[in-house]
Amino acid sequence: MNNALLALAWSLVLSCGTAAAGGERARDLGVPFEGVPGLLNAITDVAGVTVGHVTLIEDLANGRKVRTGVTAILPRGRESLNTPAYGAWFALNGNGEMTGTAYLDEMGQLAGPVMLTNTHNVGVVHQEVIAWRVRAGPADASGYWWSSPVVAETWDGDLNDINGFHVRPEHVDRALDTARSGPVTEGNVGGGTGMICHEFKCGIGTASRRVTVADSTYAVGVLVQANYGVRETLRIAGVPVGQELPVKSEGPPAKGDQGSIVIVVATDAPLLPHQLKRVARRASLGLGRMGSFAGNGSGDLFLAFSTANAGALGGAPLVQSVSLGNDSLDGLFNATVQATEEAIVNAMVAARDMQGTEGHSVQALPHDALVRLLKQYGRYTPPH
Amino acid sequence: MNNALLALAWSLVLSCGTAAAGGERARDLGVPFEGVPGLLNAITDVAGVTVGHVTLIEDLANGRKVRTGVTAILPRGRESLNTPAYGAWFALNGNGEMTGTAYLDEMGQLAGPVMLTNTHNVGVVHQEVIAWRVRAGPADASGYWWSSPVVAETWDGDLNDINGFHVRPEHVDRALDTARSGPVTEGNVGGGTGMICHEFKCGIGTASRRVTVADSTYAVGVLVQANYGVRETLRIAGVPVGQELPVKSEGPPAKGDQGSIVIVVATDAPLLPHQLKRVARRASLGLGRMGSFAGNGSGDLFLAFSTANAGALGGAPLVQSVSLGNDSLDGLFNATVQATEEAIVNAMVAARDMQGTEGHSVQALPHDALVRLLKQYGRYTPPH
Amino acid sequence: MNNALLALAWSLVLSCGTAAAGGERARDLGVPFEGVPGLLNAITDVAGVTVGHVTLIEDLANGRKVRTGVTAILPRGRESLNTPAYGAWFALNGNGEMTGTAYLDEMGQLAGPVMLTNTHNVGVVHQEVIAWRVRAGPADASGYWWSSPVVAETWDGDLNDINGFHVRPEHVDRALDTARSGPVTEGNVGGGTGMICHEFKCGIGTASRRVTVADSTYAVGVLVQANYGVRETLRIAGVPVGQELPVKSEGPPAKGDQGSIVIVVATDAPLLPHQLKRVARRASLGLGRMGSFAGNGSGDLFLAFSTANAGALGGAPLVQSVSLGNDSLDGLFNATVQATEEAIVNAMVAARDMQGTEGHSVQALPHDALVRLLKQYGRYTPPH
Amino acid sequence: MNNALLALAWSLVLSCGTAAAGGERARDLGVPFEGVPGLLNAITDVAGVTVGHVTLIEDLANGRKVRTGVTAILPRGRESLNTPAYGAWFALNGNGEMTGTAYLDEMGQLAGPVMLTNTHNVGVVHQEVIAWRVRAGPADASGYWWSSPVVAETWDGDLNDINGFHVRPEHVDRALDTARSGPVTEGNVGGGTGMICHEFKCGIGTASRRVTVADSTYAVGVLVQANYGVRETLRIAGVPVGQELPVKSEGPPAKGDQGSIVIVVATDAPLLPHQLKRVARRASLGLGRMGSFAGNGSGDLFLAFSTANAGALGGAPLVQSVSLGNDSLDGLFNATVQATEEAIVNAMVAARDMQGTEGHSVQALPHDALVRLLKQYGRYTPPH
């Protein structure tokens, strides 16, 4: 089985000590989570899913600083060019942009990749995804190049020179072309480079769960570009971290919850579009565990797709789809909540302090303080 | 094939002159329509669908008049007790009630019948559908009796003593228990008994289309409970009937578009829930052809279901569904629009003048005038 | 000011020791919450809102047990008969029933009360609310009696003889007619009588917050009918209570998350319908804090209304509405999350062990164990 | 009054014979419509609305042909930079792109212009609208530049070298900077340059209606970028034009309804966001009158905004809005349907035959045939 081989291959890689693209993760610090993660504890535990980051960090001559990037998630790797995936989306807070959502609702499918970037570069990413598709080969069976790409964003203007529009077409192509399976780099990378959560430095995070339904085991993987939240409501594993580590006055001026979070849920469980919408909505509950109240400025937009049923999505006039019964979804819903929670904490743990544009700087969540608080509140769980 | 036998049986019945439950229909008057109707030109052309009407017409001792009823549509006949159907709904104008819609959206399925009645009797119908299900047998596979029945309504208070709440549990049971396949009575019957369209007497109407997709032929059947619209915008087959036959002053006082229309679309084409939502939305376009502007008071609520994929809806944890590709739906969309248009005109043509409560009376669309106008505008199409 | 007088009156009542309708509440046990509650810490802190419960507890001769009821929430007290309130709803999980939602979406207003009951008595409540309105007086300005009442439900069939349909019209009337402001009884009362949360006895709970926006202070009140969740994911104030108090084998057989929760959010803050939809969605995040994953069977349906702008909702052709700017809503969103969380814990704390039908019994959350766990996890906050 | 002066000014311009930017319109050919148009019978009859077109027609050295463009609609003219408008959207068929819709739903407002272009240039328009806003001045009151611009598209790849991505930032700026009130050019212009309707050449069309509600008169203006539909279902004023003028074999190969239509509805009537969503949905009914069945490939996306309540949208924490009562909206709904119908016919009448890329050519609807058919079907209405 591809899955088993993949697992073996990565277990060899991991046993060499390269541990999830090198960074520390929430579990390494003793944060307790529920459920059983996949081998990589990453969205790429869903076989076929590939992720590519392009990270742009540069100090410009004019004193401005580039702290941004683009992340590509390909549901079926390179085959995403030709074969859509059943998909759906949900807006917990629509004060943000995710393109391609009317198409998702209408067609029940995600055609092509999911792209994550900063708010002001949605356009260049949108157009370049189409150009990349056009260059990649002929039109699809309907005589068209698919052309409603999904591009989602969060706002990195505190740290990044966002009005410099620094993401360019070649960065988009590189994110798409370098996307790969395996461990996913987290923190200050890709679309998450300049992002901030709960007034700590944040960015990209990922996690996964394994779920057994009717004797089959499925993977649920989550990747977040996290940029939301105020300090005081932050909870990690139920510990009131935000209250214990209040914002100090010398940080950037607080403007309320002006961020956003994009949550992408992948699964190899066979789900139909209306079931994937159910999954997408559940991401809200993982975000709720962190203490979010989905502030006005926080565009909280979620997307879910299934890599199953490739045969049903090739454009034939009559197709067969496999799906789990609605009564068999609780495990997947729970896994979505769990992996969302962990992916966000992973994003916070992996992020590093950053000096940004206009003299702004943001500190990452101090690992020692987190460990101390976990112990103080009886929640520390030694990593094994 | 069941379908072929059914067709043969009904062709025998029809050749005996009983013509569609006895009433005249729009085609009989020379109204032109597009597309190819099924044998009965009724929702029951979708094999398995059964329809039951209970019509309540009574002049009470207190001078009030009962002009109401209840109509039951069972997607799979009696088997609807045990096997849901993929389904979806759409509100062109939500100023009305259709219960069970949150369940439809979430689960992608219609569990049980679709019930049509007057606005003030939604409750009794809702509870009695549950009671009927409880009496009919044990709980379903999940340990439950399904309990989010679909009950939709339009307001018949102009002609019916609506505040007398005259629909009772036994009427609900009778509509369910007498539902049958075959020709469907139209006009002043069932839930449509006291309804009014474009200020003409109206009620229940139905129509169907046959559509060939990838070498298979499918049926699309529509049933409407029509109670919407003002006179002046009425168009029939493009002819400005409303402008030619303006409301005379002695009618009931016009209150704008205070009615509503419920449109139920059935098909045996294999469609997934998100595709049935697409179908439900298309009913709007058939209504548009009639001249509706979906006035404020008009609750225009549509529902679509597919009788295919019974095997996928029995509660098993892993199921297979067949579906048409999105690129193969144009014929079904067009058929939905065509059959909606014809079902509404059929409701108007089948309805008869009615004396109602509080001295109100409403005239039906005069057939001779309609024929005259069709000829005047070059649209008369002799029935064959 | 009415508000000030009301506060004074209740402070006198409360100082007499009647403490929130007599029962213990989560704060009394040392559960920590965020934000500032209103005087009653109840939905009735929103001036004008009244609540009525009818609780039906009876052991029938046939051995069956009635454990159900009905709860009425009137946004403007008796004046709810004549004046709607801006309102909106949201389905986190639509696997349940809340009637009147198409109307809410279309019209942006809640006409009449919000009724809570068991799943199988939605119908009788629906019809009787209309009958009660008809008896109460003449039609509204549009010539109609409003007739899309909001009735929501959760399933109490584990403890209640639900197929006996024990809620009757007189119970509905009594809940409506006895609704009052002031402290709200919680736990095994009204629609919540037979409900179960996280496999502990549950029912009705309420809480409120005070929020200052631009120099004005507003109330946000929440009332829940809580019947959702599995034990193992239960978190209270971040403490993993479910893992510490696992389900013992002698309880009713677990069937996954088969419950549901209805959350009603009231506020006197001036919000427009689209803003109230934002508020309704935020209730998800409070539910998320409790550990819910919105299991398949859990119909999680939320509704929000504002008592402001009464003058805009009287049916005049041109009206003026006051509203907070979107940029000023963070406090209300946060309050919604906080009050939702507390209302659920209040429902669990107020509930009492119950012997139900078919020999089923469910224990309430043991207060001493909760206090012990709060202390163990460093979260105990002495009540003041 | 500004409005009166504007009317006077334009009546002078029009009396000089420049007639609606020079082209023939549907009324000039005797097509009958319902309702009373505004002075210009254009979206610009809504005071403050400005429209700019950039039309790109070029035959490239490589044999490819550029037949595309971009159209900008500014709700408040240049003041759209600073003051949003209440707005809403609706997808009759989501198989297309309209960016900014999650923001519209969440915030209830349209911040900035509505841009129309071809499918593959959505990205460049999206990014350049943000860049244009950044250059235009400081951030808004919340500390942000609005950044969820609305860009909608239809597919012009039959006639335009769409994979050449010919719309560039300077075209976007020009459309925005040259937008003006007054007559609006129709047909092969702006975003509509290469569009096709019902297999006739099509493009941009516009129309308006005047509606009196409670002694005040309001304007409803519609602008469409129309690119949808098959020939055989085309109806104009109820006349079966599509059946009378079937597609001849030498045209481009029919691929079903692969087009799309974007419909923008503007009004100065004071409507709240949920009411504007009602208006947007009504555009469906105007489209229905034309014979559309919203084919699978046709992204039918509608947007409505109101120019009233500018004072409520400036970012203040507490604001007042005026609105019409729901019971007073019928005239506006009817006007939306009427103006949508006329705008589409205007787009067809104004369009001219076009030679496009890859040897494709499309004929416009022949005016003489249309006049002949109107007369044949008794619908010809001499222009006055």
Side-chain angles (χ1 to χ4, degrees):
Chain A
M1 294 298 300
N2 272 354
N3 252 331
L5 282 177
L6 187 74
L8 177 61
W10 283 118
S11 71
L12 291 172
V13 169
L14 294 174
S15 66
C16 298
T18 61
E24 250 176 334
R25 310 188 76 193
R27 284 169 189 262
D28 300 328
L29 302 183
V31 183
F33 295 104
E34 300 160 21
V36 179
L39 185 66
L40 300 170
N41 198 12
I43 195 171
T44 43
D45 282 319
V46 179
V49 174
T50 60
V51 176
H53 293 307
V54 168
T55 305
L56 304 175
I57 295 184
E58 189 180 1
D59 294 356
L60 301 178
N62 61 8
R64 297 220 169 114
K65 295 189 196 312
V66 181
R67 302 286 186 267
T68 195
V70 59
T71 292
I73 304 170
L74 284 71
R76 305 186 188 281
R78 191 80 184 173
E79 179 56 24
S80 306
L81 281 165
N82 302 307
T83 309
Y86 281 140
W89 75 293
F90 172 64
L92 177 66
N93 182 352
N95 195 348
E97 180 62 86
M98 180 184 280
T99 68
T101 52
Y103 179 94
L104 268 167
D105 271 343
E106 187 77 29
M107 305 296 271
Q109 68 189 42
L110 169 65
V114 177
M115 307 298 292
L116 310 178
T117 191
N118 78 66
T119 310
H120 286 197
N121 278 126
V122 166
V124 67
V125 177
H126 191 276
Q127 186 154 321
E128 187 58 20
V129 168
I130 297 177
W132 174 81
R133 174 65 185 82
V134 167
R135 287 194 305 270
D140 66 24
S142 68
Y144 286 80
W145 284 269
W146 44 256
S147 44
S148 295
V150 173
V151 186
E153 53 72 40
T154 60
W155 191 83
D156 57 16
D158 272 333
L159 292 170
N160 176 47
D161 174 36
I162 192 169
N163 289 337
F165 301 92
H166 297 290
V167 176
R168 292 189 304 270
E170 57 267 31
H171 304 135
V172 178
D173 294 342
R174 183 147 38 102
L176 288 161
D177 290 335
T178 65
R180 60 184 191 85
S181 56
V184 175
T185 313
E186 297 175 306
N188 305 0
V189 293
T193 300
M195 302 302 165
I196 303 169
C197 280
H198 292 286
E199 307 177 56
F200 283 122
K201 186 66 190 70
C202 206
I204 299 290
T206 190
S208 74
R209 289 296 181 273
R210 294 175 68 78
V211 182
T212 298
V213 185
D215 299 330
S216 292
T217 298
Y218 302 107
V220 174
V222 169
L223 186 146
V224 300
Q225 178 169 308
N227 191 44
Y228 74 97
V230 297
R231 178 68 56 82
E232 65 179 340
T233 69
L234 173 62
R235 297 179 183 193
I236 294 181
V239 174
V241 172
Q243 292 172 23
E244 292 282 355
L245 304 175
V247 175
K248 299 204 191 70
S249 56
E250 64 266 28
K255 305 179 201 169
D257 187 0
Q258 299 278 18
S260 288
I261 182 167
V262 180
I263 302 177
V264 180
V265 186
T267 186
D268 54 9
L271 299 179
L272 297 178
H274 69 287
Q275 297 176 315
L276 288 160
K277 192 170 267 284
R278 303 185 77 187
V279 168
R281 271 201 299 265
R282 266 68 185 175
S284 312
L285 296 165
L287 185 59
R289 293 181 176 187
M290 302 299 303
S292 167
F293 54 86
N296 171 66
S298 183
D300 299 340
L301 296 161
F302 315 148
L303 183 147
F305 64 82
S306 163
T307 58
N309 288 308
L313 289 146
L318 192 70
V319 298
Q320 279 212 319
S321 302
V322 181
S323 62
L324 293 173
N326 277 324
D327 292 339
S328 299
L329 300 184
D330 275 10
L332 295 168
F333 291 166
N334 201 358
T336 300
V337 176
Q338 293 167 350
T340 298
E341 182 188 18
E342 184 166 0
I344 298 171
V345 185
N346 277 340
M348 299 183 76
V349 165
R352 296 291 172 266
D353 297 354
M354 181 174 274
Q355 304 288 329
T357 202
E358 298 182 47
H360 293 163
S361 69
V362 179
Q363 284 198 307
L365 172 65
H367 291 191
D368 53 351
L370 176 58
V371 172
R372 176 174 53 79
L373 290 171
L374 288 167
K375 290 179 176 170
Q376 176 182 330
Y377 282 94
R379 293 292 273 153
Y380 178 75
T381 305
H384 39 254
Chain B
M1 294 301 298
N2 272 355
N3 253 331
L5 282 177
L6 187 75
L8 176 61
W10 283 118
S11 72
L12 291 172
V13 170
L14 295 173
S15 66
C16 296
T18 60
E24 253 177 333
R25 311 188 76 192
R27 284 170 190 262
D28 300 327
L29 302 183
V31 183
F33 295 104
E34 301 159 20
V36 179
L39 185 66
L40 301 168
N41 198 10
I43 194 171
T44 43
D45 283 319
V46 180
V49 174
T50 61
V51 177
H53 293 309
V54 169
T55 304
L56 304 174
I57 295 185
E58 190 181 358
D59 294 357
L60 301 178
N62 61 8
R64 298 217 167 114
K65 296 189 196 310
V66 181
R67 302 287 185 268
T68 194
V70 59
T71 292
I73 304 170
L74 284 71
R76 305 185 186 281
R78 192 80 184 173
E79 179 56 24
S80 305
L81 281 165
N82 302 307
T83 308
Y86 281 139
W89 76 292
F90 172 65
L92 176 66
N93 182 352
N95 195 348
E97 180 62 86
M98 179 184 280
T99 68
T101 51
Y103 179 93
L104 268 167
D105 272 343
E106 187 77 28
M107 305 295 271
Q109 67 188 43
L110 169 65
V114 177
M115 308 297 292
L116 309 178
T117 191
N118 78 66
T119 312
H120 285 196
N121 280 125
V122 165
V124 68
V125 178
H126 191 276
Q127 186 154 322
E128 188 58 20
V129 168
I130 296 176
W132 174 81
R133 174 65 186 81
V134 167
R135 286 195 305 271
D140 66 24
S142 68
Y144 286 80
W145 284 267
W146 45 257
S147 44
S148 295
V150 172
V151 187
E153 53 70 42
T154 60
W155 191 84
D156 57 14
D158 272 332
L159 292 170
N160 175 46
D161 175 36
I162 192 169
N163 289 337
F165 301 92
H166 297 290
V167 176
R168 292 190 303 272
E170 57 267 30
H171 304 135
V172 178
D173 295 342
R174 182 146 40 100
L176 287 161
D177 290 334
T178 64
R180 60 186 189 83
S181 55
V184 175
T185 314
E186 299 175 305
N188 305 0
V189 294
T193 300
M195 302 303 163
I196 303 168
C197 279
H198 292 285
E199 307 177 57
F200 284 122
K201 185 68 190 69
C202 205
I204 299 290
T206 190
S208 74
R209 290 295 181 274
R210 295 176 67 76
V211 181
T212 298
V213 184
D215 298 330
S216 293
T217 299
Y218 302 107
V220 174
V222 169
L223 186 146
V224 302
Q225 178 169 305
N227 191 44
Y228 74 96
V230 296
R231 178 67 56 84
E232 64 180 341
T233 69
L234 174 62
R235 297 180 181 193
I236 295 182
V239 174
V241 172
Q243 293 172 23
E244 292 282 355
L245 304 175
V247 175
K248 299 203 191 72
S249 56
E250 63 267 27
K255 304 179 202 168
D257 187 0
Q258 299 278 16
S260 286
I261 183 167
V262 181
I263 302 176
V264 180
V265 186
T267 186
D268 54 9
L271 299 179
L272 297 179
H274 70 286
Q275 296 175 316
L276 287 160
K277 193 170 267 286
R278 304 185 77 186
V279 167
R281 270 200 300 266
R282 266 69 186 175
S284 312
L285 296 165
L287 185 59
R289 292 182 176 187
M290 302 299 302
S292 167
F293 55 86
N296 171 65
S298 184
D300 299 341
L301 295 160
F302 315 147
L303 183 147
F305 64 82
S306 164
T307 59
N309 288 309
L313 289 147
L318 191 70
V319 298
Q320 278 212 321
S321 302
V322 181
S323 62
L324 293 172
N326 276 325
D327 291 339
S328 299
L329 300 183
D330 275 10
L332 296 168
F333 291 166
N334 201 358
T336 299
V337 176
Q338 293 166 351
T340 297
E341 181 187 21
E342 184 165 3
I344 298 170
V345 184
N346 277 340
M348 300 184 75
V349 166
R352 294 292 172 266
D353 297 354
M354 181 174 275
Q355 304 288 327
T357 203
E358 298 181 47
H360 293 163
S361 71
V362 178
Q363 285 199 307
L365 172 64
H367 292 191
D368 53 350
L370 176 58
V371 172
R372 176 175 52 78
L373 290 170
L374 289 166
K375 290 178 176 169
Q376 176 182 330
Y377 284 93
R379 292 291 273 153
Y380 178 75
T381 306
H384 40 253
Chain C
M1 295 299 299
N2 272 354
N3 253 331
L5 281 177
L6 187 75
L8 177 60
W10 283 118
S11 72
L12 291 173
V13 170
L14 294 173
S15 66
C16 296
T18 61
E24 252 177 334
R25 311 188 76 193
R27 285 170 189 263
D28 300 327
L29 302 183
V31 184
F33 295 103
E34 300 160 20
V36 179
L39 184 66
L40 301 168
N41 198 10
I43 194 171
T44 42
D45 282 320
V46 179
V49 174
T50 61
V51 176
H53 293 308
V54 169
T55 305
L56 303 174
I57 296 185
E58 189 180 359
D59 295 356
L60 301 179
N62 61 8
R64 297 217 168 115
K65 295 188 196 313
V66 181
R67 303 286 186 266
T68 195
V70 58
T71 292
I73 304 170
L74 284 72
R76 305 186 187 280
R78 193 80 185 173
E79 179 55 24
S80 305
L81 281 165
N82 302 308
T83 309
Y86 281 139
W89 76 293
F90 172 65
L92 177 65
N93 181 352
N95 195 348
E97 180 63 87
M98 179 185 280
T99 68
T101 52
Y103 179 93
L104 268 167
D105 271 344
E106 187 78 27
M107 305 294 272
Q109 67 188 42
L110 170 65
V114 178
M115 307 298 292
L116 309 178
T117 190
N118 78 66
T119 311
H120 286 197
N121 278 125
V122 165
V124 67
V125 177
H126 191 276
Q127 186 155 321
E128 187 59 21
V129 168
I130 296 177
W132 174 80
R133 174 65 185 82
V134 167
R135 287 194 306 270
D140 67 22
S142 67
Y144 286 79
W145 284 268
W146 45 258
S147 46
S148 295
V150 173
V151 187
E153 53 71 41
T154 61
W155 191 83
D156 57 16
D158 272 333
L159 293 169
N160 176 47
D161 175 36
I162 192 169
N163 289 337
F165 302 92
H166 297 290
V167 176
R168 292 190 305 271
E170 56 268 31
H171 304 135
V172 178
D173 294 342
R174 184 147 37 101
L176 287 161
D177 290 334
T178 64
R180 59 184 191 85
S181 56
V184 175
T185 314
E186 298 175 305
N188 306 0
V189 294
T193 300
M195 302 302 164
I196 303 169
C197 279
H198 292 285
E199 307 178 55
F200 284 122
K201 186 67 190 71
C202 206
I204 299 290
T206 190
S208 73
R209 290 295 180 274
R210 294 176 67 76
V211 182
T212 298
V213 185
D215 299 330
S216 292
T217 300
Y218 302 107
V220 173
V222 169
L223 186 146
V224 301
Q225 179 170 306
N227 191 46
Y228 75 97
V230 297
R231 178 67 56 83
E232 64 180 342
T233 69
L234 173 62
R235 298 180 182 192
I236 295 181
V239 174
V241 173
Q243 293 172 23
E244 292 281 355
L245 303 175
V247 174
K248 298 205 191 70
S249 56
E250 64 267 26
K255 305 178 200 169
D257 186 0
Q258 298 278 17
S260 286
I261 183 167
V262 181
I263 303 176
V264 180
V265 186
T267 186
D268 54 8
L271 300 178
L272 297 179
H274 69 287
Q275 296 176 315
L276 288 160
K277 192 170 267 285
R278 305 185 76 186
V279 167
R281 272 201 300 265
R282 266 68 185 176
S284 313
L285 296 165
L287 185 59
R289 292 182 177 187
M290 301 299 302
S292 167
F293 54 86
N296 171 65
S298 184
D300 299 340
L301 297 160
F302 315 147
L303 183 148
F305 63 82
S306 164
T307 58
N309 288 310
L313 288 146
L318 191 70
V319 298
Q320 279 212 319
S321 302
V322 180
S323 63
L324 294 172
N326 277 325
D327 292 339
S328 300
L329 300 183
D330 275 11
L332 295 167
F333 291 166
N334 201 358
T336 299
V337 176
Q338 293 167 351
T340 297
E341 180 187 22
E342 183 164 3
I344 297 171
V345 185
N346 277 340
M348 300 185 75
V349 165
R352 294 293 172 265
D353 297 354
M354 180 174 276
Q355 304 288 327
T357 203
E358 298 181 45
H360 293 163
S361 70
V362 178
Q363 285 198 308
L365 171 65
H367 291 191
D368 53 352
L370 176 58
V371 172
R372 176 174 53 78
L373 290 171
L374 288 166
K375 290 178 176 169
Q376 177 181 330
Y377 284 94
R379 291 292 273 154
Y380 177 75
T381 306
H384 39 253
Chain D
M1 294 300 299
N2 271 354
N3 254 330
L5 282 177
L6 188 75
L8 177 60
W10 284 116
S11 71
L12 291 171
V13 169
L14 295 173
S15 66
C16 297
T18 61
E24 251 176 333
R25 311 188 75 193
R27 286 169 188 260
D28 300 327
L29 301 183
V31 183
F33 295 103
E34 300 160 21
V36 180
L39 184 66
L40 300 169
N41 199 11
I43 194 170
T44 42
D45 282 320
V46 180
V49 174
T50 60
V51 176
H53 293 308
V54 168
T55 304
L56 304 174
I57 295 184
E58 188 179 1
D59 295 356
L60 301 179
N62 61 8
R64 298 219 168 113
K65 294 186 195 314
V66 181
R67 302 286 186 267
T68 195
V70 58
T71 292
I73 304 170
L74 284 71
R76 305 186 189 280
R78 192 80 184 174
E79 179 55 24
S80 305
L81 281 165
N82 302 307
T83 308
Y86 281 139
W89 75 293
F90 171 64
L92 176 66
N93 181 352
N95 195 348
E97 180 63 84
M98 180 185 280
T99 67
T101 52
Y103 179 94
L104 268 167
D105 271 344
E106 186 77 27
M107 305 295 272
Q109 68 189 42
L110 169 65
V114 177
M115 307 297 292
L116 309 178
T117 190
N118 78 66
T119 310
H120 286 197
N121 278 125
V122 166
V124 67
V125 177
H126 190 278
Q127 186 154 322
E128 187 58 20
V129 168
I130 296 177
W132 174 80
R133 174 65 184 82
V134 167
R135 287 195 304 271
D140 67 23
S142 69
Y144 287 80
W145 284 267
W146 44 257
S147 44
S148 295
V150 173
V151 186
E153 53 72 40
T154 61
W155 191 83
D156 57 16
D158 272 333
L159 292 170
N160 176 47
D161 175 36
I162 191 169
N163 290 336
F165 302 92
H166 297 289
V167 176
R168 292 191 303 271
E170 58 267 32
H171 304 134
V172 178
D173 295 342
R174 183 147 38 102
L176 287 160
D177 290 334
T178 64
R180 60 186 190 84
S181 55
V184 175
T185 313
E186 298 175 305
N188 305 0
V189 294
T193 301
M195 302 302 164
I196 303 169
C197 279
H198 292 286
E199 308 178 55
F200 284 122
K201 185 68 190 70
C202 207
I204 299 290
T206 189
S208 73
R209 289 296 180 274
R210 295 176 66 77
V211 182
T212 299
V213 185
D215 299 330
S216 292
T217 298
Y218 302 107
V220 174
V222 170
L223 185 146
V224 301
Q225 178 169 308
N227 191 45
Y228 74 96
V230 296
R231 177 66 57 83
E232 65 180 339
T233 69
L234 174 62
R235 296 180 183 193
I236 295 181
V239 174
V241 173
Q243 293 172 23
E244 292 281 355
L245 304 175
V247 175
K248 298 204 191 70
S249 56
E250 63 266 27
K255 305 179 200 168
D257 187 359
Q258 299 277 18
S260 288
I261 182 167
V262 180
I263 303 176
V264 180
V265 186
T267 186
D268 54 9
L271 299 178
L272 297 179
H274 69 288
Q275 298 176 315
L276 288 160
K277 192 170 267 287
R278 304 185 77 186
V279 168
R281 272 201 300 266
R282 267 68 186 176
S284 312
L285 296 164
L287 185 60
R289 292 181 176 187
M290 301 299 303
S292 168
F293 54 87
N296 171 66
S298 183
D300 299 339
L301 296 160
F302 315 148
L303 184 148
F305 64 82
S306 164
T307 58
N309 287 309
L313 289 146
L318 192 70
V319 298
Q320 279 213 319
S321 302
V322 180
S323 62
L324 294 173
N326 277 324
D327 292 338
S328 300
L329 300 183
D330 275 11
L332 295 168
F333 292 165
N334 201 358
T336 299
V337 176
Q338 293 166 350
T340 297
E341 182 187 19
E342 184 165 1
I344 298 170
V345 185
N346 277 340
M348 300 184 76
V349 166
R352 295 292 173 265
D353 298 353
M354 181 175 275
Q355 304 287 328
T357 202
E358 298 181 46
H360 293 163
S361 71
V362 178
Q363 285 199 308
L365 172 65
H367 292 191
D368 54 352
L370 176 58
V371 172
R372 176 175 53 78
L373 290 169
L374 288 166
K375 290 178 176 170
Q376 176 181 330
Y377 283 94
R379 294 291 273 153
Y380 179 75
T381 305
H384 40 251

